[in-house]
Amino acid sequence: MSKEKDFFRELMRLFVSGSIYILMFIVAAYIFYMTLFLCYKVVFAIIVHVSHLGDMTAKWIAEAWDMWIKLTEEILSVVTIILVLVKSFKILVEYSKHHHIQIKDLVEIAIIALLMEVVFNFSIHSMAINWLFAVFGATLLVIYAMFPYFRREKLHKTK
């Protein structure tokens, strides 16, 4: 019976490890894709702006201003998505090494994701949900800043 349990445990460990590595590959590929998308957006915006430098009328400047605001929102949204994906990849790497996840990493990714929802998807949610996200994010940020558990790793590195 013990050999069967050990075999089953080893089989499950290999399945979980394989799944983690597949997920890491997917997340890394998506980070690469989003980074290329971000570079495309920035380069395309610069080309469009430079190509229309001769059309500097008041109407074009007003339209360009709206375009730049939308582009800035898109770029910041993509950057925060990349941050969440990089943090997710870090969590997967730590899990593949140590077979556990630190609460610190989960709190950090929750803060980033909530900030992303409140700032970039404000119009999608109702005001009550936005307030809930904001309060929950601020609470997590205060917890993260106040509790020494989240700074414990830094204290050990300095000694």
Side-chain angles (χ1 to χ4, degrees):
M1 180 100 171
S2 174
K3 288 184 180 184
E4 290 173 356
K5 276 187 172 179
D6 290 341
F7 175 75
F8 183 71
R9 264 193 203 133
E10 184 64 21
L11 185 66
M12 289 307 294
R13 188 189 67 75
L14 289 173
F15 175 75
V16 169
S17 293
S19 299
I20 292 295
Y21 287 119
I22 290 170
L23 190 58
M24 285 170 56
F25 174 76
I26 291 169
V27 169
Y30 196 67
I31 290 170
F32 182 70
Y33 164 74
M34 291 301 287
T35 305
L36 286 178
F37 177 73
L38 181 66
C39 291
Y40 166 76
K41 280 286 199 183
V42 170
V43 169
F44 180 74
I46 290 171
I47 289 171
V48 166
H49 189 68
V50 169
S51 67
H52 288 91
L53 281 178
D55 303 336
M56 293 288 246
T57 63
K59 182 181 176 185
W60 183 85
I61 291 174
E63 290 173 3
W65 184 258
D66 291 339
M67 180 185 73
W68 282 105
I69 288 174
K70 289 177 186 174
L71 181 68
T72 303
E73 289 174 353
E74 289 178 17
I75 288 172
L76 290 175
S77 179
V78 171
V79 166
T80 55
I81 290 170
I82 291 172
L83 286 174
V84 168
L85 289 172
V86 167
K87 193 66 180 173
S88 300
F89 187 80
K90 179 185 172 196
I91 289 171
L92 290 171
V93 167
E94 288 299 314
Y95 184 80
S96 68
K97 287 180 183 175
H98 306 292
H99 296 286
H100 74 278
I101 299 172
Q102 293 184 1
I103 299 294
K104 174 185 174 187
D105 294 331
L106 294 177
V107 170
E108 287 173 356
I109 201 167
I111 291 169
I112 294 168
L114 285 169
L115 176 68
M116 189 172 100
E117 281 299 310
V118 170
V119 173
F120 298 112
N121 297 328
F122 186 78
S123 61
I124 294 174
H125 306 293
S126 69
M127 188 56 80
I129 296 295
N130 283 325
W131 276 106
L132 180 68
F133 286 162
V135 168
F136 189 59
T139 304
L140 280 176
L141 191 60
V142 167
I143 289 170
Y144 186 80
M146 297 301 285
F147 282 89
Y149 167 79
F150 298 110
R151 295 184 306 269
R152 188 179 328 156
E153 185 177 271
K154 292 178 185 174
L155 291 175
H156 291 307
K157 286 183 180 178
T158 59
K159 289 182 180 181

